[in-house]
Amino acid sequence: MGSERITLLSSREIDKMRRAGSLAAKLLDHLEPMVKPGVSTLEINDEAEKWTQAHGAVSAPLGYGPKNNPFPKSLCTSVNEVVCHGIPNAKQILQSGDIINIDVTPILDGYHGDTSRTFFVGTPSPTAKKLVEVTKECLHRGIAAVKPGNRIGDIGAAIQEYAEANGFSVVRDFVGHGVSHIFHTAPQIPHYGRAGKGKKLKPGMVFTIEPMINEGTWEAVILEDGWTAITKDGKLSAQFEHTIAVTKDGVQILTLPD
């Protein structure tokens, strides 16, 4: 996960993070109309790459990871039972009733804007609709737990309590992370945990909160491609992600369109 030391960002650096984050949010807005039956995940990827380049940015996921198995595409498209890190491809055609998480991270002026949303393809099932709505609320509850003096465990506890109260489970294997000019750094932000535990939050900390909430078991399995994580029981998974900054008096979301 990169460096263990937590770096506090200056207001100038947070401004750069906000610009990158705003671009990431606008990219998701741009891609949303493509989320419909008959469109391949590769078409979404290719449009994202074209748009990112046109806006003077670089796609962080492309080529990220170990030298022997770098991530091959410009964003992650995680459909239905895919928890995260789904690889866009031409054969994967969206069908009505699917849910898809699109996770984008453009690098603008050296800083990463990391955000994701789960979209409905056509008309969702009642279960899918509830799962996605609960996951979105989990993100908001996690963000609401951020302020100076609170602890990392407060974020996970707020998310876990709401997810489990609604009959869903929280993925353990993948967590939020510090982000700046480095894609993944300290601290790690679990989306489960106990209030009052973990490192204390300080102004200048910047990290992602990105709960992955499953319909069934929280357990995930990684496929042979070394990237795609799916639910162990084949049931649905949803995710929403923002990059946030801890401020003197609370929290600021850095991945909003403006």
Side-chain angles (χ1 to χ4, degrees):
M1 286 293 284
S3 156
E4 285 312 300
R5 198 168 68 81
I6 297 173
T7 305
L8 301 180
L9 301 194
S10 68
S11 57
R12 187 182 66 84
E13 290 175 302
I14 289 172
D15 279 342
K16 289 193 169 190
M17 288 293 294
R18 192 185 300 105
R19 282 200 287 275
S22 171
L23 191 73
K26 287 171 183 165
L27 173 54
L28 287 180
D29 287 347
H30 176 73
L31 296 174
E32 184 169 11
M34 292 186 74
V35 178
K36 56 189 181 190
V39 174
S40 75
T41 53
L42 184 64
E43 286 174 86
I44 294 170
N45 175 85
D46 292 353
E47 179 57 32
E49 178 60 30
K50 193 172 79 179
W51 190 94
T52 299
Q53 287 184 21
H55 288 78
V58 177
S59 301
L62 186 59
Y64 179 80
K67 281 196 172 65
N68 64 343
N69 187 29
F71 194 78
K73 297 297 178 196
S74 301
L75 47 68
C76 301
T77 48
S78 302
V79 178
N80 295 336
E81 77 280 5
V82 179
V83 174
C84 60
H85 304 155
I87 300 171
N89 68 87
K91 290 181 180 162
Q92 185 171 48
I93 309 295
L94 297 179
Q95 314 282 336
S96 186
D98 286 346
I99 61 172
I100 176 173
N101 176 271
I102 302 179
D103 190 340
V104 301
T105 312
I107 306 172
L108 184 67
D109 295 334
Y111 286 81
H112 293 73
D114 192 359
T115 187
S116 85
R117 295 176 208 157
T118 297
F119 301 98
F120 299 124
V121 184
T123 308
S125 70
T127 301
K129 190 168 187 291
K130 183 184 177 189
L131 176 66
V132 171
E133 285 170 354
V134 166
T135 305
K136 193 173 187 180
E137 179 62 20
C138 281
L139 172 61
H140 293 317
R141 288 183 181 225
I143 293 170
V146 176
K147 64 179 180 187
N150 275 12
R151 293 184 179 270
I152 286 174
D154 297 330
I155 300 169
I159 291 167
Q160 183 178 8
E161 184 184 4
Y162 189 73
E164 291 178 355
N166 280 280
F168 299 128
S169 64
V170 181
V171 171
R172 307 286 202 272
D173 302 338
F174 302 95
V175 296
H177 54 87
V179 60
S180 57
H181 59 281
I182 302 166
F183 196 172
H184 296 93
T185 184
Q188 292 196 12
I189 308 292
H191 304 110
Y192 59 95
R194 287 171 58 200
K197 298 289 181 186
K199 287 195 167 69
K200 203 172 267 193
L201 302 177
K202 296 177 182 170
M205 288 170 77
V206 173
F207 50 81
T208 69
I209 301 176
E210 46 182 301
M212 287 148 261
I213 308 298
N214 291 352
E215 176 191 352
T217 178
W218 60 264
E219 294 174 285
V221 179
I222 294 178
L223 300 185
E224 281 177 15
D225 61 30
W227 284 102
T228 308
I230 64 166
T231 55
K232 193 175 181 181
D233 57 10
K235 292 185 175 179
L236 295 174
S237 184
Q239 181 187 16
F240 284 85
E241 173 183 20
H242 273 311
T243 299
I244 64 95
V246 184
T247 63
K248 288 200 300 291
D249 43 14
V251 63
Q252 184 175 52
I253 299 172
L254 301 178
T255 38
L256 295 173
D258 291 309

